[in-house]
Every structure is written in structure tokens, then in C-alpha cells.
Amino acid sequence: MGVWCWKLKLGVMLGLMCNISSISESKKEIWRWEEQEADIVERLPGQPAVKFKQYAGYITVNQSHGRALFYWFFESSHQPHQKPLLLWLNGGPGCSSIGYGEAEELGPFFPQNSTKPKLKLNPYSWNKAANLLFLESPVGVGFSYTNTSTDIQQLGDTITAKDSDTFMVKWFRRFPRFRSHEFYIAGESYAGHYVSQMCELIVKKNRDGSKEEYINLKGLMMGNALLDDETDQKGMIDYAWDHGVISDGLYRNISTKCDFRRRNQSEECRVELDKYFDVYKIIDMYSLYAPTCTSSTRPARRGYGYGYDPCASDYTDKYMNLAQVQKALHANNSRIPYPWTHCSNSITFWNDAPSSMLPLLNSLIAAGLRIWLYSGDTDGRIPVTATRYTLKKLGLPIVQDWTPWYAGKQVGGWTVLYDGLTFVTVRGAGHQVPSFAPQQSLQLFQHFLANQQLPRHPIC
């Protein structure tokens, strides 16, 4: 009788514990749903009507320091429950993925030149192919902030990767329906560091960590990416000379006085490099043949090639600093004591930055991730020449060499298929490839997601 009573009591206790656990999980689900609903963006000032949902807000990545990262998320315009999730990161370090990536490259909405707030719907937005997540990282960039001022002086690659990973773990808790989706990370420029390091961290955590924090990472894509200091700098100088930007004399002086295998250059080298950068005060280093923004190029209706407007950043800057826009985005709730900018003026110190990402790339290839590098061939900052030097240094076997790919009936660029990596050039595009070649960029992204080679023949 005593044993039976004990078993009865144990059963009741277990039942209560299960009920308590169930109630606790239900509360968590309600809390997460409430967080999602609080972040939903109903409609932005000047926004055209759309059918897809968008969310924006903050996720705290360090509670004790008050460190919070700002995001803007767009569900896919078609069947979001079936589409993969892409995290987009811009570089700098210190530049906004919302200011560039969303508002001027691959997002759904582009601010326009107008007396009233006005957004244009991007017909080649990448949310046609995936659910799009833009993150302003690290703290101090855009609307992301910290309540601990010393955090800004400790920024570097390591803390950026850790905070971005913490963000994703917490973001998936807030949006659990996307946890099972295929996940990809993409970016450009200094995001060659961000993307590589974040992928490495996720791969390690997936292998060693808990199932609750598992992220279904499948691949990464990087455009005009900073990957190796030596080859990126050598390629930058060689490209400038080969494209008629610098004189034979200056090229010879830099070649003889600079050793890009070293981190710290001689004073003689720095003097010659200053002369080199002076040239780019009068032309756009990031798009060699594009006009710069002047009063005559400002009207958006005039555009340049594929509708490119050299003054687009001015419109974005104005739009993102409007109080009604920030309110609609749930941004700047903490009243940041400086205006929103494309690139942070407060990030003047960077604690750590490895000179090469090539060892990381090799480890990510070994992990079986899909890796595509692409390069706009009119970029002077991290030019196609530099990336080709970098890939040669990486030393992967070539499976299929220099092959044209087509966007419609026109050559979109060239591809090289390596054992473990795909390289794509985009003809006529600058540093921010989707700004200059939006249709080709969307095509490139769609083929990356499908793991398909780009068309090798004209498309009728």
C-alpha cells in the first residue's frame, strides 16, 4: 500500500512538472510572438504597397553592456515558408548593411530624390529568391548601439563575429519558423572577413554545440571581397596602372618601394601610396567609369547605365534620418547622440584583423559549404585583378577555366569553377555589384541558391 501511494504521488508530481514545463513553453511561444509583432513594419513613409511582410528592430547581444544590433528583415515576395534565408553584411569595417545593401543594392526599397519621403520598389530585389535579413554590425554602425562607451574601442573581427553569431541565435528564437530553412550568408568588401569568420564560428558551434543553437548553414557568397592583404593591395595597384589611372612612374615607384607582404610599409612607400589615392579624389574608385555625384547628376530620373544614380547615398542618408522613418522602423529608441550615417565616424580603432582569410576559406571548403566569389570588373578598390591573384594564391585545382556566362543574349561576365569554389565576374559592375548590374546580380544569386552553373550560351 505504501509503495502504491508513493508511485501515485510520483506520478502526480511528474504530471505537474510536465504541465508546468508545457505552460512555460507556451509562455515562451507567446513572448516570441509578441516580440515578432512588436517588430512588424506596417508601412514606411512614401512606401509603395507590397504583399510581403517586413520586420525591424533590435536584438540585445550583450545584456550587461547594453549592446544591441539593429536589423531589417523582409520575407520573400513569393512563398516565404519555402524559401531560404539570407543574411547580408556590408563591410567597412563600420558601414551599414541597411544603407548600402538594402537601400541601394539588393533590398526591396530604394529612397528617391524627392521633397517628400519616397521609396521606389526595386524590381530586382533579392527577396524574390529568398527571405532577406540585413544587419547593422558591429555596434556603433547605423542604428546599432552600446551603452558601454569602451565597447567601441574594443571592436575588431573577433567581437564582430561573436556578436553577429549571438544575434542570429537570438533572432532564430524570435523567428523560430525560419530555423529549419537553408541559411546563407553574403556580403561585400570587408565582409570578406565578416562572412568568412561568422561561417567558421557557426560551423564550429554546429559541430560542438547544442541542437538548440544549431544553424542550418549551407553556403556563403562574397562580392569584391577583402580576402588577402598582399594580393588585394598588389591587385589594386596593378589594376589602376592597367586601366590608365596612374602613370608609369608612379606605378614603378610603388612597385619598388612597397612590399605588400609586410603589414607596416616604409615612409617612402606611404608617400607614393598617398599620390596614388589622390587620383581617386577626382574619380570614383569604387566604379571606375561612373560619374560622381554633382548638381548635374543629382536628379534620379537622369540615371546612368541600368538606372544607376551616383547620388543615391544622399537620398538614403536624408531618408534614414527622418523621425517618422525611424519611428516606423522601431529604430533609434535609445536616442543615439549622432545622426545615422552610411559608415560610422566613431569607429576609428580596429583591434584585430588577420592579414589573410585564405586559411579560413580552405577550412570552409573542407566543411562542405557552397562558396561563390563574385567581382564587378570596374571596381578599383578590391578589383577583379586582386581577386584573381588571391585565388591563384589559394591554389585550388581548376575544374572549368575562364568561361563566359550570359544574361539574356549578352555576356554577363566570366566564370572559373574551382574544386570547392566558384568565381564569377560581372561585366561593367563596380564595387557594389547589385547597384550597377541589378538584373545580372539577381540571376547570379538565384543560380547560387540553386547550386547551378550560370548559362554558358545566349538565352533567347
Side-chain angles (χ1 to χ4, degrees), residues 403-416:
T403 305
W405 66 273
Y406 285 82
K409 296 182 180 181
Q410 301 296 322
V411 172
W414 280 264
T415 67
V416 181

Side-chain angles (χ1 to χ4, degrees), residues 100-383:
Y100 289 112
E102 193 292 313
E104 296 165 29
E105 297 187 70
L106 54 114
F109 302 129
F110 289 177
Q112 298 296 289
N113 183 29
S114 176
T115 54
K116 295 181 179 180
K118 184 180 180 182
L119 293 173
K120 175 185 176 183
L121 191 64
N122 176 15
Y124 302 108
S125 173
W126 287 14
N127 82 322
K128 290 180 178 293
N131 298 288
L132 278 186
L133 177 59
F134 297 93
L135 175 65
E136 292 194 305
S137 175
V139 291
V141 174
F143 294 123
S144 296
Y145 68 90
T146 177
N147 293 329
T148 306
S149 59
T150 53
D151 282 351
I152 302 297
Q153 302 305 317
Q154 296 172 0
L155 291 177
D157 283 13
T158 301
I159 190 66
T160 300
K162 288 181 178 178
D163 277 0
S164 296
D165 176 69
T166 300
F167 167 86
M168 280 311 310
V169 169
K170 291 190 173 184
W171 189 90
F172 277 123
R173 289 175 188 165
R174 190 173 296 184
F175 294 87
R177 66 184 181 276
F178 292 101
R179 180 179 293 279
S180 61
H181 290 223
E182 289 188 348
F183 179 57
Y184 299 90
I185 308 178
E188 68 192 13
S189 196
Y190 197 83
H193 282 228
Y194 292 165
V195 174
S196 302
Q197 291 163 336
M198 189 175 176
C199 285
E200 179 198 35
L201 196 54
I202 292 173
V203 167
K204 286 182 177 179
K205 286 184 63 180
N206 281 351
R207 185 181 60 228
D208 306 329
S210 67
K211 291 182 179 179
E212 290 181 359
E213 293 190 359
Y214 181 86
I215 293 176
N216 191 22
L217 179 65
K218 295 296 183 182
L220 59 143
M221 185 166 67
M222 298 181 287
N224 292 84
L226 184 73
L227 295 171
D228 184 86
D229 288 356
E230 178 193 359
T231 53
D232 286 338
Q233 291 181 90
K234 173 178 168 52
M236 179 180 70
I237 301 302
D238 287 358
Y239 180 91
W241 176 81
D242 191 49
H243 285 72
V245 175
I246 59 174
S247 69
D248 292 357
L250 181 56
Y251 177 67
R252 182 174 57 252
N253 289 345
I254 293 174
S255 299
T256 56
K257 296 178 180 179
C258 298
D259 182 357
F260 294 125
R261 292 170 298 181
R262 298 172 51 189
R263 278 226 149 170
N264 298 315
Q265 298 298 324
S266 66
E267 181 60 28
E268 287 182 317
C269 170
R270 287 194 290 269
V271 168
E272 299 304 319
L273 287 177
D274 285 344
K275 295 176 185 176
Y276 162 81
F277 283 108
D278 281 345
V279 178
Y280 286 113
K281 292 177 181 177
I282 56 175
I283 62 173
D284 188 352
M285 185 182 200
Y286 296 88
S287 180
L288 216 60
Y289 306 112
T292 55
C293 179
T294 65
S295 58
S296 62
T297 58
R298 187 169 297 278
R301 65 180 180 274
R302 295 185 62 173
Y304 288 87
Y306 299 108
Y308 171 68
D309 187 338
C311 302
S313 290
D314 290 355
Y315 317 148
T316 302
D317 189 82
K318 178 181 177 182
Y319 187 84
M320 298 304 294
N321 278 294
L322 293 173
Q324 63 265 44
V325 170
Q326 294 180 5
K327 182 178 180 181
L329 286 173
H330 319 119
N332 200 14
N333 297 332
S334 63
R335 296 293 178 263
I336 301 168
Y338 47 80
W340 180 95
T341 57
H342 279 79
C343 296
S344 173
N345 295 321
S346 62
I347 298 177
T348 57
F349 175 80
W350 200 251
N351 191 47
D352 62 302
S355 61
S356 180
M357 291 292 105
L358 299 190
L360 262 188
L361 277 181
N362 274 320
S363 69
L364 296 174
I365 290 169
L369 294 182
R370 185 181 314 153
I371 302 173
W372 283 32
L373 303 181
Y374 64 90
S375 186
D377 63 11
T378 68
D379 175 29
R381 187 61 185 92
I382 308 176

